[in-house]
Amino acid sequence: MSPLPVPRAEVVVDLAAIRHNVRTLAEHCGVAMMTVVKADGYGHGMVEVARAAREAGSSWLGVATIDEALALRAAGDTGRVLCWLTVPGEDQAAAIAAGVDVTAYSLAELAEVEAAVGRVGTPARLQLKIDTGLSRGGSTYADWPALVEAARAGEVAGHWRVTGIWTHPASADEPDDPANDSQEQVFRDALDVAAAAGLEPEVRHFANSAAAILRPSARFDLVRCGIASYGLDPAPGHTPDLGLVPAMTARATLAMVKDVEAGAGVSYGHTWVADRATTLGLVPVGYGDGVPRSLSNRASVGIAGAQRPVRGRVCMDQLVVDLDGERPEPGTDVVLFGTGRDGAPTAQDWAEAAGTISYEIVTRFGGSRVVRTHVDSEAPA
């Protein structure tokens, strides 16, 4: 038999870490948990993460699009799922028929939900979103009274059941920002307006990962945990150590080792020039695989227990690291980012080097040339 092929690059996701994180967050927050699995589970694999989250007791899943919600249903998920981002004219009938909770921001969206209900013949599960200061999706406070009145009228008419009212914070990762108090107060006022209109939602929810961890008053009936469910810090510098475990390790196989003399320029534009004779390692991943080009000359990777700095510009398919005279064999494992337990960088380390957030690092990394493997460190051997 021929040996199994060695992946050029691979994302390894530990589903045990997902379950651990969901349980930890639920215990910390003390309310119902929604695990957010949009954008293919932040790059971790939506369906696999969703199953692990359900196993850990997550009563809700959150996605952005109808397609994502329907993919969960097609994979066999039968629990509560909320989706929240549609465009005018998008057919919501399939989501309603599948028992997915859909979200309305406006009277126009209510009309589209009503039309979809007419086609399906099944009442919708409907949630309403209020914009409390993020100035993104959701009803303005000025439009909110008309929206909740219309929602209540539709509920009385049997078009839907209003199952939730929610919003999203702008600055929960900065707990001292006065916007947090302001948004929470606007949300409470909006809930009062909805109650006066006769709405009695099952769940009221405000908190993303950072607010869920740091702001007990914002937990209400349900918290929506995305990035923290994947073991990454939603508010670096502020988050207590809850024992969350990064679920993703990104790795590659060292392709080549070569000697260079002092004065050798490395990669496009020679933005790094060796100040001494050294050894270089060729790592076969680049911005075509989601490695930010901004990590050029700024990030490190882990090889044989040591961090090795990226030298020169990150290319589309490859990057070069300084091995400082060491000569690991081609085929050696390269940890691009991971748990940090083995001395290799974490996604947060890469994010800080790139001037971005860990969400972007894990969500972007992967694609058609990167194998994604799911493992379960809790499973019996």
Side-chain angles (χ1 to χ4, degrees):
M1 294 178 61
S2 60
L4 294 175
V6 176
R8 178 188 64 87
E10 184 179 23
V11 165
V12 180
V13 177
D14 186 355
L15 298 175
I18 300 289
R19 289 194 295 271
H20 166 80
N21 296 333
V22 170
R23 294 186 192 111
T24 299
L25 290 163
E27 181 178 352
H28 178 76
C29 295
V31 298
M33 176 68 58
M34 176 187 292
T35 302
V36 181
V37 296
K38 63 181 181 175
D40 202 14
Y42 290 41
H44 293 67
M46 180 178 71
V47 169
E48 293 85 357
V49 168
R51 288 174 180 157
R54 293 293 199 198
E55 290 165 357
S58 188
S59 51
W60 288 80
L61 300 174
V63 295
T65 69
I66 288 174
D67 286 347
E68 290 172 329
L70 295 178
L72 289 172
R73 290 292 190 244
D77 190 276
T78 59
R80 299 299 291 274
V81 176
L82 174 66
C83 70
W84 52 72
L85 187 61
T86 59
V87 297
E90 189 170 359
D91 186 6
Q92 303 196 42
I96 293 167
V100 172
D101 288 53
V102 298
T103 301
Y105 302 164
S106 65
L107 293 175
E109 282 188 292
L110 281 186
E112 294 203 0
V113 173
E114 183 177 344
V117 167
R119 293 191 295 275
V120 173
T122 301
R125 290 174 174 168
L126 176 69
Q127 301 211 9
L128 305 176
K129 185 179 182 184
I130 172 77
D131 176 10
T132 55
L134 184 59
S135 299
R136 201 173 64 175
S139 169
T140 65
Y141 194 78
D143 292 339
W144 183 247
L147 181 64
V148 297
E149 290 287 351
R152 177 56 182 157
E155 192 170 60
V156 171
H159 299 318
W160 48 66
R161 166 83 174 98
V162 175
T163 59
I165 294 174
W166 64 287
T167 192
H168 196 80
S171 302
D173 57 338
E174 301 174 20
D176 295 329
D177 191 321
N180 294 305
D181 289 340
S182 173
Q183 283 194 261
E184 188 176 331
Q185 186 58 56
V186 172
F187 185 56
R188 292 181 183 278
D189 292 345
L191 291 174
D192 290 342
V193 172
L199 294 180
E200 298 178 353
E202 297 172 26
V203 288
R204 306 158 300 157
H205 46 115
F206 176 107
N208 60 358
S209 288
I213 294 170
L214 298 172
R215 194 173 179 86
S217 64
R219 290 173 186 156
F220 293 92
D221 307 306
L222 174 71
V223 294
R224 304 182 306 272
C225 290
I227 198 67
S229 301
Y230 303 96
L232 300 174
D233 190 344
H238 302 288
T239 311
D241 184 3
L242 301 180
L244 302 177
V245 178
M248 178 186 288
T249 297
R251 57 161 304 279
T253 299
L254 188 65
M256 181 182 185
V257 176
K258 64 169 58 176
D259 299 311
V260 296
E261 297 299 323
V266 175
S267 197
Y268 291 121
H270 287 179
T271 60
W272 186 79
V273 176
D275 60 0
R276 70 204 185 288
T278 189
T279 48
L280 301 177
L282 184 67
V283 182
V285 291
Y287 60 78
D289 307 295
V291 179
R293 192 168 181 268
S294 57
L295 291 182
S296 302
N297 292 309
R298 300 180 67 180
S300 296
V301 304
I303 301 177
Q307 291 201 19
R308 300 300 185 184
V310 174
R311 300 302 196 192
R313 288 185 178 147
V314 172
C315 307
M316 184 181 292
D317 316 304
Q318 51 204 296
L319 57 84
V320 177
V321 297
D322 188 353
L323 297 172
D324 196 26
E326 297 294 323
R327 298 194 60 85
E329 289 293 322
T332 296
D333 193 54
V334 179
V335 179
L336 305 170
F337 59 83
T339 65
R341 292 190 295 250
D342 53 4
T346 64
Q348 182 62 32
D349 292 329
W350 268 32
E352 291 173 5
T356 186
I357 55 177
S358 60
Y359 305 63
E360 184 177 4
I361 297 298
V362 295
T363 303
R364 285 180 58 182
F365 191 82
S368 61
R369 304 190 301 185
V370 178
V371 175
R372 184 164 59 204
T373 302
H374 292 91
V375 299
D376 189 345
S377 61
E378 288 181 343

